[in-house]
Every structure is written in structure tokens, then in C-alpha cells.
Amino acid sequence: MKTRDDLLAFLDAQGIAHRTVDHPAVFRVGEGEEIKAGLPGAHTKNLFLKDAKDRLWLISAADRTAIDLKRLPPVIGAARLSFGREALMVEALGVTPGSVTALGLINDAARRVTFVLDRQLAQAKTVNFHPLTNTATTALDQAGFRRFLAAVGVEPLVVDFETLQVVEGQTIR
């Protein structure tokens, strides 16, 4: 599994501009508001999920986006969704609870995880994610974030969570 240092070196090797700020651990959305206030761009919440057919899902959304996990499955082509166990999260993304991040997709070499991206986040000029640890935040511009996804072989399924519609990508059936 790749570490924070490996991730940042990967971004550098791909020519993806990034800025990482260290801070006290942040475990949940709503914590660390004073940290976020000093970091421009969209802040994120990230959910690691498993569906009833044992498929893995990662949702990255703007921190204030409401996500209705009961109504979402037919929109994205999932069976009933539940939160993934910690051991599965570590195995699939190399992160622990509180550190879930889209940047963890660097560790999903088997491409087991389907990535769902919030439309608001997909349109944000700058996005902020934990760099595999919740004691730092890494900012990427949108083009850099999309280059990261392409470099790790991930095509996001972009969902408008207000209308519950896929706006980019293909659902799994």
C-alpha cells in the first residue's frame, strides 16, 4: 500500500500541482472548521460503502452535500448500500476510518472500487482531500484531480445529489 509520501511523490511524478497542509487529526465532517477556513476550495466528505452484491463504492462529495443512501442505489446501479468494514477499507484503499479519501484510489490496483463523484465537487475549481491520513489536507485544482484519476485508471461516475441523476460516466448494471 502506498503511503502519504508515496502519494505526494506520485503527484509530483505526474506533474500534478498540489499543496499539502499538516494539521491536527480530523475524523468527521464538521470537525476542523478553523482548518478549513484557512484552506481555499471545496472541502470533502468521503464514504466507503459496500453494496448487497459485495461491490465496493467510494463517494466523494462536497462537505455540505446531502447524500440519501436509501434512494441512491438505483441511480448508480448499486444494490442496497451499507458502510464498508474497516478491514475492507484498509485492504481496498489503504486508509482507516477518518482518513477516507478519493486519493486512496491510488491503492486500488485491482479496480474493485467504483468511484462516485459529487457534481458540486466535479465543478469546483480546487478540491481538498486527505492525503491518505487525516492529519493533513492536500489541495488540487480540478484539472490536476482529473489527471490523478486518469493516471490511476479511474473514470468517475458523476452524480448530481440534488436531482439524483448521473451527469457523467456510466452506471454499473
Side-chain angles (χ1 to χ4, degrees):
M1 286 291 159
K2 302 224 181 316
T3 65
R4 170 190 160 160
D5 289 341
D6 296 331
L7 168 67
L8 298 179
F10 177 83
L11 294 174
D12 289 340
Q14 297 297 316
I16 299 171
H18 58 93
R19 179 174 157 243
T20 299
V21 175
D22 292 305
H23 53 69
V26 176
F27 292 93
R28 288 180 292 290
V29 172
E31 284 185 45
E33 292 300 321
E34 65 286 346
I35 296 166
K36 291 177 188 177
L39 300 171
H43 295 278
T44 60
K45 65 178 165 189
N46 299 274
L47 307 176
F48 177 72
L49 306 166
K50 183 172 89 89
D51 75 9
K53 294 182 180 178
D54 289 330
R55 294 179 298 190
L56 304 180
W57 301 83
L58 174 63
I59 298 175
S60 290
D63 61 352
R64 294 190 185 358
T65 297
I67 300 172
D68 186 339
L69 292 179
K70 291 189 189 312
R71 293 179 51 216
L72 183 61
V75 174
I76 63 174
R80 183 182 47 80
L81 293 165
S82 60
F83 288 95
R85 292 176 291 105
E86 179 176 354
L88 187 56
M89 181 187 310
V90 170
E91 175 189 318
L93 297 175
V95 296
T96 56
S99 297
V100 179
T101 173
L103 300 178
L105 292 165
I106 194 171
N107 285 320
D108 182 27
R111 296 294 157 252
R112 293 172 52 200
V113 179
T114 300
F115 181 51
V116 178
L117 180 63
D118 175 17
R119 181 181 199 169
Q120 289 182 49
L121 214 52
Q123 295 175 340
K125 182 178 177 185
T126 302
V127 292
N128 291 287
F129 291 101
H130 290 312
L132 309 180
T133 176
N134 64 354
T135 57
T137 297
T138 296
L140 305 166
D141 68 20
Q142 188 63 231
F145 179 53
R146 292 300 183 116
R147 277 200 321 277
F148 165 79
L149 292 175
V152 297
V154 172
E155 183 179 333
L157 181 63
V158 180
V159 172
D160 182 326
F161 283 98
E162 286 184 24
T163 64
L164 280 178
Q165 293 182 337
V166 173
V167 295
E168 181 185 329
Q170 298 284 53
T171 58
I172 293 178
R173 295 286 172 205

